[in-house]
Amino acid sequence: AQSVTQPDIHITVSEGASLELRCNYSYGATPYLFWYVQSPGQGLQLLLKYFSGDTLVQGIKGFEAEFKRSQSSFNLRKPSVHWSDAAEYFCAVAASGGYQKVTFGTGTKLQVIP
Amino acid sequence: EAGVTQSPTHLIKTRGQQATLRCSPISGHTSVYWYQQALGLGLQFLLWYDEGEERNRGNFPPRFSGRQFPNYSSELNVNALELEDSALYLCASSLEVVREGQPQHFGDGTRLSIL
């Protein structure tokens, strides 16, 4: 069964600074990988997804993520954070080649300070 | 295109009662998923329905149950409510099973509070 780890529970960055949120997964083959964002009191919004091909994936709101098979990682990045990016971010993994439920990480809460 | 809609937004119940939560998927989506998001516990997978059938179930007791209707909308029922059932319940839908790479699209959730 697949698993996903988000080692940072809480991250604080200054507005305008760069951001990297870590995500490590465990799965024997190439998985499907997702990043979602959740604003307070709302559901999850898909930021980006990786299935195959180019390992650098562009998403909405200026986010990107890079799939690194050798490190089993799928870190989320943004070059310049805006105050509106303050939210909780979830990495998720799903097995390819046959249905498996999506497994979500425990989330990283992002605080943006002026 | 309308997104995933959930009702009610908030639901307050007392211990031992029963709760029914509803979800309407995005038009054309056949798969519906239910998650529980309790404080500090992340998203816990509850149930997956596809084409009216329960396809997978998370590690929850049988008092958590649901169904999917012919129009692909879904209900989650929680019987004999306990205090620890207080959580945000999220519904998601997708075009096909995730093996095809279709991401899940989430509703804003139902906040269930048990007094």
Side-chain angles (χ1 to χ4, degrees), chain B residues 28-73:
Chain B
H29 285 192
T30 60
S31 280
V32 171
Y33 313 82
W34 287 96
Y35 293 88
Q36 182 194 65
Q37 189 177 27
L39 201 61
L41 293 180
L43 272 78
Q44 304 295 317
F45 169 72
L46 265 166
L47 290 160
W48 168 46
Y49 292 96
D50 183 63
E51 297 285 357
E53 301 280 334
E54 182 180 303
R55 302 296 187 185
N56 206 341
R57 182 181 181 86
N59 189 26
F60 280 83
R63 58 191 186 83
F64 287 84
S65 65
R67 54 181 173 168
Q68 186 178 33
F69 299 98
N71 66 353
Y72 302 114
S73 67

Side-chain angles (χ1 to χ4, degrees), chain A residues 19-72:
Chain A
L19 172 70
E20 183 168 28
L21 302 182
R22 296 184 291 166
C23 172
N24 293 97
Y25 69 90
S26 174
Y27 181 62
T30 301
Y32 296 130
L33 294 161
F34 309 88
W35 274 100
Y36 287 86
V37 61
Q38 185 180 31
S39 297
Q42 295 187 5
L44 277 68
Q45 181 184 21
L46 179 69
L47 284 174
L48 47 79
K49 58 188 179 184
Y50 171 79
F51 302 151
S52 63
D54 193 349
T55 56
L56 186 62
V57 181
Q58 301 297 321
I60 63 171
K61 304 185 180 187
F63 286 92
E64 66 178 25
E66 186 171 13
F67 171 61
K68 293 186 177 180
R69 184 191 305 276
S70 61
Q71 298 176 18
S72 297

Side-chain angles (χ1 to χ4, degrees), chain A residues 12 16 43 46 69 77 85 103 109:
Chain A
T12 300
L46 179 69
R69 184 191 305 276
R77 302 194 294 246
D85 293 325
T103 300
K109 192 162 289 187

Side-chain angles (χ1 to χ4, degrees), chain B residues 41-110:
Chain B
L41 293 180
L43 272 78
Q44 304 295 317
F45 169 72
L46 265 166
L47 290 160
W48 168 46
Y49 292 96
D50 183 63
E51 297 285 357
E53 301 280 334
E54 182 180 303
R55 302 296 187 185
N56 206 341
R57 182 181 181 86
N59 189 26
F60 280 83
R63 58 191 186 83
F64 287 84
S65 65
R67 54 181 173 168
Q68 186 178 33
F69 299 98
N71 66 353
Y72 302 114
S73 67
S74 178
E75 272 183 3
L76 174 69
N77 295 291
V78 189
N79 294 318
L81 287 165
E82 301 178 2
L83 292 176
E84 54 263 35
D85 296 334
S86 293
L88 180 68
Y89 288 83
L90 292 167
C91 174
S93 72
S94 71
L95 269 172
E96 279 193 47
V97 297
V98 178
R99 71 183 179 203
E100 301 296 333
Q102 297 298 329
Q104 297 178 7
H105 298 263
F106 284 80
D108 286 339
T110 292

Side-chain angles (χ1 to χ4, degrees), chain A residues 4 17-18 26-27 49 58 66 75-76 87 90 95 97 102 105 107 112 114:
Chain A
V4 59
S18 63
S26 174
Y27 181 62
K49 58 188 179 184
Q58 301 297 321
E66 186 171 13
N75 294 349
L76 181 71
F90 292 90
V102 177
V112 180

